[in-house]
Amino acid sequence: MNQTLERWSSRRAFILAVTGAAVGLGNIWRFPYITGENGGAAFLLIYVGFVVLLGLPVMMAEILIGRAGRSSPMLSLGKLARQAGHSEHWCWLGLFGAFTVFCILSFYSVVSGWAMDFMVTAFSGGFQGMSADQVGAGFGDFLANPLRMAMDHTLFLVLTMLVVAAGVSKGLERLNNLLMPALYLLLFVLAGHAISMEGFGPALEWLFTPDFSAVTPMVFLHAMGHAFFTLAVGACALMAYGAYMPDHQSLPGAAAAVAILDVIVALLAGIAIFSVVFTQGMDPGEGPGLMFITLPVAFADLPFGAFWLGLFFLLLVLATWTSSINLAEPIVATLIGWGMTRRRAALVTGVCVWLVGMLCVLSFSTLSDFHVLGSMNFFDVVSTIPPEIFLPLGGLLIAIFAAWVMLEQEALRALDAGPNGFRLWRIVLRWISIPLVVVVLISGLV
């Protein structure tokens, strides 16, 4: 079945869209605490190296498959495999990617609902005068309130699917053009405000002065995994976006711009967060609780703390919103490839994601005693296995397809980097990126 696809109107629109898919919880929530747990600047340098050697080549592979196929991920993979004389069963990789994104979006929507709820509480001054124990207890009470969490989850998902239903140019592109600049502006405002804090200098020193004595094999594994996770590769989302890519646009240039913007967002978020943490004399290695427990306490004691904390959670909401609309697109594109209209595909996707998300919501209350794979509740399963196992597996198969299965002339044309650029990319992808993806996958399995 052929598809008549919309196209991004410009190079800028494509870059903002892919950046919107990449920038999200990985940059603003996961990067600060994983950096804190792994020694600061040394981890940062290793992470940037893996972005270049691992994330960027696989990102380019995923985008060029979509650009060469000009269809939904499933149809593109099947068509390109058939052209190269290989099995059309490669098309099922597109369905696997849609399933991976589906799982991720189901918990992403729930966590984004937390951010929306905390943003309202922050702006209203609800965290003022509270200790870390009180904020932690309040967060526990919030998780145990299924009705409140369900309302947050529902509202966020409705906002997401309304944009996706509007289409590429009227929905995704228009919102990315509005929200991504707003996100960068908020980041610069928060980072600029951090300059006035006592903890700004220690935060810069901690982030940019490497201590290689803190580096262990696990630091390398975490850096590899985060470089892969933060660029949103491995789930065919970027493949769907590559199908909408304009004909006359440098794919390597656009992908490099996305990678640079992605790292800048993570660094600015780290500067803003750790300046507050060091100003208040707190531990930068607080772990996942840094976002929803440590920061509310840290901001609350600062001048105009409610305003700045509210801005920070607004930033998190914008980042997760842009990521979610871009994560939903490959699922919708797959359903469109099966003959659905965009609006019906968006409705079906939204309802199914909402249902699975409700299982995540209930994991902290009604279903709290239901455990699988040992002590993991349903939220733990969908927030751990898809990012740590499904994404690397999908990325590995995407890289193998681009490096070994596609016709060389099709890949060369879609990459649009010239013969020398193509050879360099393929050498790095085949002999550096693919082995590194295997290491990431194995580390997620053990």
Side-chain angles (χ1 to χ4, degrees):
M1 182 182 298
N2 294 322
Q3 288 176 271
T4 301
L5 294 178
E6 299 180 71
R7 299 284 177 90
W8 303 115
S9 64
S10 65
R11 178 178 185 272
R12 174 180 176 273
F14 173 74
I15 291 173
L16 286 178
V18 178
T19 307
V23 171
L25 288 177
N27 305 76
I28 299 172
W29 178 40
R30 197 168 186 259
F31 176 79
Y33 84 73
I34 201 171
T35 303
E37 290 178 335
N38 289 277
F43 172 84
L44 174 61
L45 286 175
I46 297 169
Y47 158 68
V48 171
F50 284 128
V51 166
V52 174
L53 295 175
L54 170 60
L56 192 55
V58 180
M59 172 192 280
M60 292 163 64
E62 186 169 335
I63 295 172
L64 77 81
I65 293 171
R67 190 181 197 181
R70 291 296 186 195
S71 298
S72 70
M74 281 192 73
L75 294 179
S76 292
L77 287 160
K79 180 175 75 173
L80 294 172
R82 185 171 61 251
Q83 286 177 354
H86 290 272
S87 171
E88 291 189 40
H89 287 307
W90 275 101
C91 72
W92 297 113
L93 174 56
L95 185 61
F96 177 73
F99 175 72
T100 300
V101 169
F102 176 85
C103 294
I104 292 173
L105 190 57
S106 67
F107 85 83
Y108 216 88
S109 177
V110 173
V111 177
S112 301
W114 301 352
M116 286 198 311
D117 204 294
F118 271 54
M119 178 185 71
V120 173
T121 303
F123 274 126
S124 65
F127 294 111
Q128 297 298 109
M130 296 182 69
S131 67
D133 289 340
Q134 289 173 319
V135 174
F139 186 45
D141 292 339
F142 168 70
L143 295 179
N145 187 336
L147 179 60
R148 184 174 168 186
M149 286 183 64
M151 291 175 62
D152 293 335
H153 164 57
T154 303
L155 175 59
F156 184 84
L157 201 53
V158 168
L159 292 173
T160 297
M161 300 317 300
L162 283 175
V163 176
V164 177
V168 174
S169 59
K170 294 181 180 179
L172 279 74
E173 182 173 323
R174 185 174 295 177
L175 195 74
N176 281 320
N177 287 344
L178 175 67
L179 293 188
M180 293 309 295
L183 185 149
Y184 296 131
L185 177 62
L186 274 177
L187 264 175
F188 278 111
V189 169
L190 286 166
H193 175 62
I195 295 174
S196 64
M197 299 182 189
E198 292 180 6
F200 178 71
L204 289 184
E205 182 178 354
W206 189 76
L207 270 172
F208 296 109
T209 304
D211 176 15
F212 290 105
S213 65
V215 175
T216 65
M218 287 306 298
V219 171
F220 279 92
L221 287 176
H222 288 144
M224 274 191 281
H226 189 67
F228 199 87
F229 175 81
T230 190
L231 290 177
V233 294
C236 299
L238 304 185
M239 197 181 298
Y241 277 18
Y244 311 141
M245 190 176 182
D247 290 322
H248 303 292
Q249 180 175 351
S250 168
L251 194 161
V258 170
I260 291 169
L261 289 171
D262 187 75
V263 172
I264 288 174
V265 168
L267 288 177
L268 289 175
I271 290 170
I273 289 170
F274 292 125
S275 293
V276 175
V277 169
F278 280 111
T279 296
Q280 299 297 78
M282 294 180 171
D283 180 10
E286 284 288 337
L290 180 70
M291 187 66 60
F292 294 103
I293 298 175
T294 306
L295 285 182
V297 176
F299 271 104
D301 290 336
L302 297 174
F304 306 104
F307 171 76
W308 292 110
L309 181 61
L311 276 189
F312 183 82
F313 278 112
L314 174 60
L315 170 71
L316 186 60
V317 169
L318 292 183
T320 57
W321 193 15
T322 56
S323 282
S324 294
I325 63 174
N326 295 305
L327 286 172
E329 181 58 24
I331 310 173
V332 172
T334 299
L335 296 179
I336 292 173
W338 291 347
M340 285 192 188
T341 64
R342 175 171 282 275
R343 289 187 177 183
R344 178 171 293 183
L347 177 62
V348 170
T349 299
V351 170
C352 293
V353 170
W354 182 84
L355 289 171
V356 177
M358 283 303 301
L359 295 177
C360 294
V361 166
L362 297 175
S363 294
F364 301 97
S365 52
T366 308
L367 299 178
S368 60
D369 293 331
F370 176 76
H371 295 99
V372 293
L373 301 176
S375 61
M376 299 176 73
N377 61 27
F378 191 83
F379 179 87
D380 295 330
V381 170
V382 296
S383 64
T384 302
I385 294 178
E388 294 187 4
I389 298 175
F390 292 173
L391 280 183
L393 178 58
L396 175 62
L397 294 174
I398 287 168
I400 290 172
F401 186 89
W404 301 101
V405 176
M406 279 183 70
L407 289 173
E408 182 175 328
Q409 59 265 33
E410 284 290 337
L412 175 63
R413 179 184 58 81
L415 187 66
D416 194 20
N420 291 333
F422 174 76
R423 279 193 292 269
L424 175 62
W425 164 78
R426 194 167 63 169
I427 288 170
V428 173
L429 183 68
R430 283 180 170 181
W431 309 115
I432 299 178
S433 302
I434 288 177
L436 289 176
V437 176
V438 171
V439 173
V440 172
L441 178 59
I442 292 173
S443 69
L445 289 171
V446 297

